[in-house]
Amino acid sequence: MNAMPAVALPSGSGVRPRPLGVPSTPSTPSTPSTPSTPSAPLRLTRRGRMVASAVAALLVTVIFLLAAAAAQATSHAPSPQAAGQNLVQMVVRPGQSLWSVAENADPDQDTRAVIQQIIDLNALNSDVVVAGQQLWVPRG
C-alpha cells in the first residue's frame, strides 16, 4: 500500500490536515437535533400572577360599569330631583311631537320651558320622541 503524505497547514489555523487523495465530503449545515421531551407547562411568576389578577379585576370592573350604565339608560323611574315634583307618566301617541306633549302636559306654562323640563326629567338626548315611548311630564 502506498501511504500518502499529509498536507502541511500553517499552525494555528484550526483546520485539521487531510491526507492527499481522500475526497472531501461537502459540508452541509447540520440542524441540531431537538429533544423529544415535551415542553414544561407554563408557570407564572409572582409578578405574572399579580398582573393577571389586576387584568381580571379591571375586566370585571368594566363589565360592571357597562351593565350599570345600560340599566340606568333603560330606567323608567324619574330622577331624584323629579321625585318631589308633581309628575305623571304618559305614553306618546302616534303623530305626537315633544311640543304637543308639552302643550298637553301644562298648557299654562311656556311650552319651551316645559319641553326642557321633559328632556331633563327623562334624560333625553334630543327632542325627538317616538310613538309608544313613556315619558314623565309635569302635571299642569
Side-chain angles (χ1 to χ4, degrees):
M1 229 167 130
N2 222 348
M4 298 285 218
V7 176
L9 293 173
S11 66
S13 67
V15 177
R16 291 178 33 188
R18 173 174 59 82
L20 288 175
V22 177
S24 67
T25 59
S27 64
T28 58
S30 64
T31 57
S33 64
T34 56
S36 62
T37 60
S39 62
L42 178 66
R43 293 183 58 188
L44 288 176
T45 62
R46 186 175 188 179
R47 182 186 298 168
R49 287 190 300 268
M50 289 173 52
V51 169
S53 298
V55 168
L58 182 65
L59 182 63
V60 168
T61 302
V62 167
I63 290 172
F64 175 75
L65 290 175
L66 289 174
Q72 184 179 7
T74 59
S75 175
H76 294 292
S79 63
Q81 69 182 15
Q85 297 177 359
N86 194 11
L87 300 176
V88 64
Q89 191 172 26
M90 56 94 50
V91 178
V92 178
R93 295 187 305 260
Q96 276 189 314
S97 65
L98 194 55
W99 185 274
S100 62
V101 170
E103 282 182 331
N104 291 337
D106 198 353
D108 298 332
Q109 295 292 324
D110 181 20
T111 306
R112 293 170 295 189
V114 177
I115 288 174
Q116 188 58 50
Q117 201 174 13
I118 293 171
I119 289 174
D120 293 341
L121 287 172
N122 296 285
L124 300 177
N125 293 329
S126 69
D127 59 353
V128 178
V129 292
V130 293
Q133 186 174 1
Q134 293 183 355
L135 296 175
W136 288 99
V137 296
R139 187 182 308 167

